[in-house]
């Protein structure tokens, strides 16, 4: 059975840890105070007794050893508040006389210096005294002087002071509890603020946590905001992937539908083969998007055939835009491979060619080059082109320069995203035919 159950509350945990520690420190301080008080009081009294013995010795030496001429008795007790004893071969003085049983043994024999005497004397004498003894000679006359103080009275004063110290310590403990409670309450206030921020985040009032949390809570707030950023990025990637998928299958579907709707030509074996190829492209694109949802970036070890894939795309777009001419310009061999995914290369070339075919007047030209270890793809049309001030806007997701033309504003954005994923660049300018020229430059990895 567990004797100590850990509190579930932070406030309770801090109180359980801090309160006993505070009480323990107070008790330790009170005990140390008692020991130091007793030691300091003894040293102080001993020092006073020593000074008064020196004073009496001086007085006796001034009187030439005649102790009967000294101003002692009530005067000495009223001034110094101590008992004394003086002994010479001719006379012994003890004041007050009730202390005689305690002081006589010290006068007759005993060491010089401070001595504590505990003995039960008469009812008028104390049970414990601190005495300071000094012996000296004046000529041939031996003199013994003792000055003493009642330790019982001193201890009663110490006990009273120690009791007041205990009372003050208890009050300080109560104050400590109040201060700890107030400190914990104020320290937990940011938690309340953070809880309110989380509630507002859940209700959709805010998108990020921006509370002024203390230093200890800053890592928690940062981790929560990073988690929200990660979730937003995942959601954005999912939306982009869905849009990319929808856009990528649009062109093969349109080409297949064009073939089916062309009643002037019989559906012979070559056309059936081309339709099956286009449907295969759709299946590959669906599979590639599903694979991309599990892995980020290009697939290592994959390669594409740029010339072969370009010819297939040109044939498909020629079917989609039968009134326009799609031309390929390249010195690459049919078997030449590029370190790109087949689907990515189809996406890049297909979107650029589809965009060019949509705006061209008669001709679209695709050029495939290799220069200084870089893969270069250039698509140029003879259409109206784009104004220079609108060129920077090309490739922005969802942005379309002409809302009257069918489309969703995703094609060039997809091309830019794929190009940047391979570390390449996409630029636009005016081509030699007067239309738009798109240039993709990807380093050979």
């Amino acid at each position: 059975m567990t004797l100590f159950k850990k509190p579930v509350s932070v406030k309770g945990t801090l109180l359980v840890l801090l309160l006993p520690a505070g009480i323990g420190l107070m008790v330790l301080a009170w005990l140390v105070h008692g020991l130091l008080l007793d030691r300091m009081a003894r040293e102080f009294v001993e020092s006073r007794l020593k000074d008064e013995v020196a004073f009496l010795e001086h007085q006796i030496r001034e009187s030439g050893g005649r102790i009967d001429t000294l101003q002692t008795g009530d005067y000495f007790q009223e001034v110094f508040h101590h008992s004394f004893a003086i002994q010479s071969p001719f006379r012994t003085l003890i004041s007050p006389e009730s202390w005689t049983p305690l002081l006589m043994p010290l006068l007759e024999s005993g060491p010089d210096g401070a001595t504590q005497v505990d003995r039960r004397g008469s009812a008028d004498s104390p049970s414990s005294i601190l005495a300071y003894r000094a012996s000296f000679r004046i000529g041939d006359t031996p003199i013994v002087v003792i000055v003493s103080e009642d330790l019982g009275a001193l201890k009663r004063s110490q006990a009273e002071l120690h009791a007041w110290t205990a009372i003050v310590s208890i009050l300080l403990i109560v104050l400590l509890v109040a201060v700890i409670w107030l400190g914990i309450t104020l320290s937990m206030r940011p938690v309340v603020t953070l809880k309110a921020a989380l509630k507002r985040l859940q209700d959709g009032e805010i998108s990020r946590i921006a509370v002024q949390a203390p230093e200890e809570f800053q890592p928690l707030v940062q981790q929560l905001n990073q988690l929200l950023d990660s979730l937003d990025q995942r959601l954005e990637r999912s939306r982009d992937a869905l849009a990319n998928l929808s856009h990528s299958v649009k062109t093969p579907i349109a080409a297949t539908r064009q073939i089916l709707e062309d009643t002037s030509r019989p559906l012979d074996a070559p056309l059936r083969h081309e339709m099956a190829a286009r449907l295969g492209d759709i299946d590959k694109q669906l599979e590639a998007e599903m694979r991309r949802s599990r892995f980020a970036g290009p697939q290592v070890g994959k390669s594409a055939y740029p010339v072969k894939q370009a010819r297939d795309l040109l044939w498909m777009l020629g079917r989609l835009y039968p009134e326009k001419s799609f031309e390929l310009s390249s010195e690459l061999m049919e078997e030449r491979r590029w370190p790109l995914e087949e689907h990515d290369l189809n996406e890049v070339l297909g979107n650029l060619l589809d965009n060019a075919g949509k705006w061209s007047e008669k001709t679209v030209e695709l050029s495939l080059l290799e220069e200084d270890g870089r893969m270069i793809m250039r698509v140029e049309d003879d259409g109206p082109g784009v104004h220079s001030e609108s060129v920077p806007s090309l490739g922005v997701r969802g942005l379309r320069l002409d809302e009257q033309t069918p489309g969703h504003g995703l094609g060039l954005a997809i091309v830019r995203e794929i190009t940047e994923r391979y570390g390449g660049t996409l630029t636009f300018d005016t081509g030699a035919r007067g239309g738009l020229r798109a240039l993709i430059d990807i380093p050979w990895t």
Side-chain angles (χ1 to χ4, degrees):
M1 180 177 180
T2 304
L3 298 178
F4 177 76
K5 183 179 180 181
K6 185 178 180 181
V8 295
S9 169
V10 176
K11 187 180 295 185
T13 303
L14 292 176
L15 283 176
V16 167
L17 293 177
L18 296 178
L19 191 55
I23 294 175
L25 290 176
M26 286 293 182
V27 172
L28 180 61
W30 182 74
L31 294 175
V32 173
H33 171 266
L35 296 175
L36 293 178
L37 182 62
D38 183 68
R39 179 179 177 181
M40 293 175 63
R42 183 184 177 90
E43 291 178 353
F44 175 73
V45 172
E46 185 177 329
S47 176
R48 286 187 58 189
L49 295 178
K50 182 179 179 179
D51 292 340
E52 292 168 15
V53 167
F55 173 75
L56 283 176
E57 181 182 351
H58 176 73
Q59 291 288 93
I60 294 171
R61 290 184 184 277
E62 287 289 328
S63 65
R66 293 177 295 176
I67 62 177
D68 56 339
T69 62
L70 297 177
Q71 293 184 357
T72 56
D74 295 339
Y75 170 77
F76 189 81
Q77 294 179 37
E78 291 175 1
V79 174
F80 297 105
H81 306 287
H82 292 146
S83 175
F84 72 94
I86 304 174
Q87 185 183 55
S88 70
F90 310 105
R91 188 177 181 182
T92 299
L93 295 177
I94 297 177
S95 179
E97 294 182 358
S98 60
W99 288 41
T100 300
L102 294 171
L103 299 179
M104 278 304 295
L106 292 177
L107 287 173
E108 295 173 355
S109 64
D112 287 352
T115 304
Q116 182 174 339
V117 179
D118 298 314
R119 185 181 302 170
R120 173 61 62 182
S122 63
D124 296 333
S125 63
S127 61
S128 180
I129 65 171
L130 181 64
Y132 194 92
R133 183 180 187 274
S135 59
F136 55 91
R137 287 180 175 272
I138 299 178
D140 295 332
T141 305
I143 305 290
V144 177
V145 177
I146 296 176
V147 179
S148 60
E149 181 170 336
D150 184 3
L151 287 181
L154 180 62
K155 290 181 178 180
R156 286 191 295 272
S157 299
Q158 291 180 8
E160 183 179 357
L161 178 60
H162 205 39
W164 278 107
T165 303
I167 295 174
V168 173
S169 299
I170 294 174
L171 294 177
L172 288 177
I173 290 175
V174 175
L175 180 62
L176 177 64
V177 173
V179 170
I180 291 176
W181 183 270
L182 179 62
I184 294 174
T185 302
L186 294 178
S187 299
M188 292 294 104
R189 185 170 295 178
V191 178
V192 178
T193 305
L194 182 60
K195 180 181 178 181
L198 291 174
K199 182 64 170 61
R200 295 179 59 196
L201 179 68
Q202 183 180 7
D203 295 339
E205 299 178 7
I206 57 175
S207 60
R208 292 295 181 274
I209 300 175
V211 297
Q212 296 296 326
E215 182 179 352
E216 292 77 9
F217 288 96
Q218 282 295 340
L220 174 62
V221 175
Q222 293 175 0
Q223 290 292 333
L224 288 174
N225 285 331
Q226 290 176 3
L227 176 61
L228 293 174
D229 292 339
S230 176
L231 292 176
D232 284 349
Q233 291 173 2
R234 291 183 181 182
L235 180 60
E236 187 66 25
R237 284 197 298 267
S238 298
R239 290 174 177 173
D240 292 346
L242 180 60
N244 294 347
L245 180 61
S246 301
H247 189 273
S248 62
V249 300
K250 177 174 63 68
T251 301
I253 290 177
T256 303
R257 186 177 61 186
Q258 184 76 16
I259 295 174
L260 294 175
E261 292 178 352
D262 188 3
T263 57
S264 61
R265 298 182 58 187
L267 193 59
D268 51 11
L271 287 179
R272 290 179 181 274
H273 177 74
E274 291 298 332
M275 289 177 61
R278 299 292 76 78
L279 293 176
D281 291 340
I282 295 176
D283 182 67
K284 290 180 180 179
Q285 289 164 359
L286 290 173
E287 183 179 355
E289 288 297 336
M290 293 177 64
R291 185 173 64 249
R292 189 174 297 159
S293 65
R294 297 190 300 267
F295 303 100
Q299 296 293 310
V300 178
K302 296 293 184 178
S303 61
Y305 295 89
V307 176
K308 178 179 180 301
Q309 292 179 225
R311 286 176 177 171
D312 291 342
L313 287 171
L314 293 176
W315 181 91
M316 181 176 63
L317 289 168
R319 291 288 183 176
L320 189 61
Y321 303 101
E323 72 280 3
K324 299 177 182 180
S325 173
F326 289 84
E327 301 175 359
L328 174 61
S329 173
S330 178
E331 296 180 357
L332 300 178
M333 301 297 294
E334 185 86 14
E335 297 80 12
R336 182 59 174 168
R337 292 187 178 188
W338 280 359
L340 305 175
E341 283 190 73
E342 293 183 6
H343 171 70
D344 289 340
L345 183 61
N346 280 337
E347 281 287 290
V348 169
L349 296 180
N351 283 307
L352 291 179
L353 291 171
D354 180 59
N355 185 75
K358 190 183 303 180
W359 292 100
S360 66
E361 295 292 338
K362 293 183 179 180
T363 306
V364 176
E365 182 179 359
L366 168 62
S367 301
L368 302 176
L369 308 172
E370 291 182 6
E371 294 182 359
D372 300 326
R374 309 182 71 85
M375 298 169 284
I376 299 176
M377 292 166 272
R378 185 169 56 237
V379 177
E380 183 177 349
D381 63 72
D382 59 353
V386 178
H387 294 293
S388 57
E389 61 270 12
S390 301
V391 170
S393 302
L394 293 174
V396 178
R397 179 173 288 270
L399 180 63
R400 298 175 56 208
L401 300 182
D402 189 353
E403 297 292 340
Q404 297 183 2
T405 304
H408 301 86
L410 296 176
L412 297 182
I414 295 174
V415 173
R416 183 180 296 277
E417 291 172 2
I418 295 176
T419 302
E420 291 176 352
R421 194 162 65 241
Y422 285 95
T425 58
L426 171 64
T427 57
F428 299 96
D429 59 2
T430 301
R433 301 174 183 268
L436 181 66
R437 178 169 56 190
L439 178 65
I440 293 180
D441 189 345
I442 298 178
W444 193 283
T445 55

